[in-house]
Amino acid sequence: MQIHIPFHWTARTHIGRCPRVFNTVFGSVNDGDRLTRENTELVIEGFPRSGNSFSVFAFSNAGAGDLSIAHHVHSPSQIITAARYALPAVLLIRSPEDVVTAGLAKIATHRTGDLLRAYTAYYRSLLPLREHYVIAPFETVTTDFGRVINAVNRRFGTTFTEVDTDRHLTLSQKFLAQEKFDALQAEAPTEASDRVPQFDRYSDLMKRAEAEHARFLALATDDGTTRPPDDA
């Protein structure tokens, strides 16, 4: 049975600004191996439903299979700690409309307003650390992950190998197909259900989240991780 905790993601994100506190709480109830530590060799993090699983798998097939990878914590603490120890880090980002829609389809206890507030807080908190991570837009992650790997190699002096194009295509298609399947399998919501994204109700929060998304996409051009217009 899923229990809705009001402002779950908002509170989690704000607590995540203090890695020591967040890691103590998270590590006590979750798999602590996913946390960023001084001996971590690669950090892959982003807001939920931003291509986290695919990115970890792609890097694991690019020479990182035996490395200690911090991932799937969905907290600013991961990138903050990576910056502190000068670790290679990838920050994933996807449009707020898509992450909210996918999040509501995946987890019944998610709420539109909570996700939008947390999304904005998450990325704003990491802006001061811009020089310590590579930005990986969702569209690039799912279509041309080689750009992300090349950017990481340039920024951090790593030697990861690119994912084979054909293999990448197969994996990204499976990833997107599974996400659509999850949405179809979700219980059909009524018009008033919180499972339906309530973007009209939270238009101000949506504008703030979209502004952060646009800001980070613009910054991603410096990393070479945005797709050229002809490829879009």
Side-chain angles (χ1 to χ4, degrees), residues 36-226:
T36 304
R37 305 186 187 282
E38 187 173 4
N39 61 348
T40 297
E41 296 170 280
L42 176 65
V43 179
I44 302 173
E45 275 296 343
F47 204 72
R49 315 308 293 167
S50 297
N52 293 270
S53 296
F54 180 80
S55 297
V56 172
F57 188 88
F59 262 105
S60 296
N61 283 271
D66 295 328
L67 297 185
S68 171
I69 303 177
H71 61 92
H72 281 88
V73 175
H74 310 305
S75 168
S77 59
Q78 294 284 83
I79 299 294
I80 293 172
T81 305
R84 178 180 301 165
Y85 295 123
L87 305 174
V90 176
L91 178 63
L92 306 167
I93 189 165
R94 187 181 185 183
S95 74
E97 179 178 354
D98 287 345
V99 297
V100 170
T101 301
L104 293 177
K106 182 72 173 179
I107 305 294
T109 55
H110 284 175
R111 296 293 183 266
T112 302
D114 182 30
L115 290 172
L116 288 175
R117 290 187 189 91
Y119 183 100
T120 300
Y122 183 99
Y123 290 102
R124 280 184 180 174
S125 69
L126 297 176
L127 188 59
L129 302 175
R130 171 65 188 100
E131 299 303 315
H132 296 278
Y133 52 79
V134 163
I135 300 172
F138 181 81
E139 293 77 12
T140 304
V141 167
T142 55
T143 60
D144 190 6
F145 202 79
R147 288 181 183 274
V148 178
I149 293 175
N150 287 338
V152 171
N153 287 341
R154 287 194 303 269
R155 169 78 52 101
F156 300 105
T158 50
T159 57
F160 298 116
T161 57
E162 290 190 28
V163 175
D164 177 79
T165 303
D166 292 336
R167 178 62 173 161
H168 182 130
L169 179 61
T170 299
L171 291 173
S172 62
Q173 288 175 336
K174 287 183 177 180
F175 176 86
L176 293 173
Q178 182 60 51
E179 186 168 88
K180 292 178 181 178
F181 178 76
D182 289 342
L184 291 173
Q185 289 297 103
E187 180 180 352
T190 63
E191 187 64 26
S193 172
D194 283 328
R195 299 294 293 278
V196 176
Q198 300 175 17
F199 295 128
D200 290 340
R201 178 181 177 185
Y202 297 103
S203 58
D204 288 343
L205 293 178
M206 186 62 168
K207 289 178 182 177
R208 295 173 195 168
E210 288 176 332
E212 291 307 312
H213 180 242
R215 187 205 305 264
F216 274 82
L217 285 188
L219 292 172
T221 60
D222 295 334
D223 292 332
T225 54
T226 52

Side-chain angles (χ1 to χ4, degrees), residues 7-26:
F7 306 112
H8 167 80
W9 282 104
T10 303
R12 179 190 177 104
T13 300
H14 284 292
I15 294 172
R17 294 176 177 179
C18 181
R20 180 174 296 181
V21 174
F22 182 88
N23 290 352
T24 298
V25 176
F26 183 92

